Amino acid sequence: MKKIIHEIISVIVILIFLFQTSMVFATSTTELNSEKEENNKEIKQQQQDLKNVQATKSKTVTEIEQISNQINTYETEIEELNGKITTLSGQIKKSEEEIKKAKKEYDEQQELLNERLVTMYENGETTYLDFVLSSESLADVLSNYFLVSELASYDTELLEKIEAQKNKIEEEKKKLETSQNELTTTKSTKSAKQTQLKSAKAKKNEYVQELSEDEKEIEKKIEQLQQDNKAIDAKIRVAQAAIEKARKQRNSSNSSGSSSGGKNPSGFIRPVKGYSVTTGMYYSSGRYHGAVDFSGSGISGKPVYAVADGYVVTTQALRTSYGNYVIIAHYNGLYTLYAHGQAGSISVHAGQTVTQGQQIMRVGSTGNSTGPHLHFEVRKSPGTYSNRVNPMSYLP
């Protein structure tokens, strides 16, 4: 009997132990599942946070690009306003000189008229009859008649000149007043644009501070590129007169029957032979490139050719942005830019005329470049950075 009771107690103890173990296991499983679920939620949250951060960064970069475009627009407008101010100032100076000149002539004519009137008053009124009666012969009559006619004509002409000078003075004064009013308006507009430019730059700096270090470095390179482009634009503007002269000479030469060795100035060839475009007008990130890149295995050191006859606007060797580059103005009104050439490989100079297919440098990796390639741009007149167009519309 005792043995049976002992066995029953043993079974009960085992059951209690198993029950407690299963309860502990169940509790542990529930807790682990709960913890796992929490972890999954945290992972999802972190992933969402990451997406939000990436979206914010992307949005920040987009905002910077938009503000940069605004800054470029403001700077272009200010440059145009500066040109207008210079023109108006020249017009005002010219009008003031014209008024001064006209006033001097008016005073001289008026003085002559006054002298004429005084003479007539002192001598009394003289008529044609007086001259005829005082004549001693027919020859004297004709001579005196001619003299009287000339004097009368001179008086009339003098009065007309005085009236014309008076009208000219009034006209120049109106031009001067118009130019002065326009100058005041232009200066006011420029001041407003400068305020907008200052505000845009401050806003851009705020966004730049939110970027990652890598993004800041990229933005710094972009900023340098923009600064270099402003310097290039200035050179192009300075060279405009020489460019137009070269175009006129070329057009005159063509119209007189001469040829350019069978070259067609309006049809471009490819600047590098045997290599394709690897980057188009937009980078894979979506950022605007504004050019095409030619690259590929073995391209380093390959010749770069002028795509058409033209006039070399400028050549430069920079450590940043374009590196070694050449800009050519073509006779069809287009401009081409070739960048990242090998150090010391540029074989043309500013002011030189080149023919289609002429070597101008070699492919390299100077400036802001991650590897050997040719950065190639096409720009419409007047050839500045904001006038870039898709080169593929002109290349064969």
Side-chain angles (χ1 to χ4, degrees), residues 279-295:
T279 304
M281 289 294 281
Y282 289 86
Y283 292 110
S284 57
S285 64
R287 184 184 286 273
Y288 187 63
H289 182 205
V292 294
D293 289 344
F294 290 87
S295 63

Side-chain angles (χ1 to χ4, degrees), residues 157-194:
E157 186 180 341
L158 188 59
L159 289 169
E160 287 176 350
K161 281 184 178 180
I162 291 172
E163 186 65 25
Q165 289 303 119
K166 184 179 178 182
N167 291 336
K168 184 177 181 180
I169 290 170
E170 292 301 319
E171 184 181 339
E172 290 298 333
K173 281 183 176 179
K174 287 180 181 178
K175 286 183 181 179
L176 177 60
E177 185 178 353
T178 300
S179 295
Q180 286 174 332
N181 290 337
E182 193 172 353
L183 179 60
T184 300
T185 303
T186 304
K187 284 183 176 179
S188 176
T189 303
K190 177 187 172 182
S191 179
K193 292 295 179 183
Q194 285 176 325

Side-chain angles (χ1 to χ4, degrees), residues 123-165:
N123 295 330
E125 186 176 355
T126 303
T127 64
Y128 286 96
L129 183 59
D130 294 329
F131 278 94
V132 172
L133 292 176
S134 63
S135 302
E136 296 180 357
S137 65
L138 181 60
D140 285 341
V141 170
L142 294 174
S143 177
N144 288 334
Y145 178 80
F146 176 76
L147 179 62
V148 171
S149 298
E150 284 297 306
L151 288 170
S153 175
Y154 174 76
D155 289 343
T156 302
E157 186 180 341
L158 188 59
L159 289 169
E160 287 176 350
K161 281 184 178 180
I162 291 172
E163 186 65 25
Q165 289 303 119

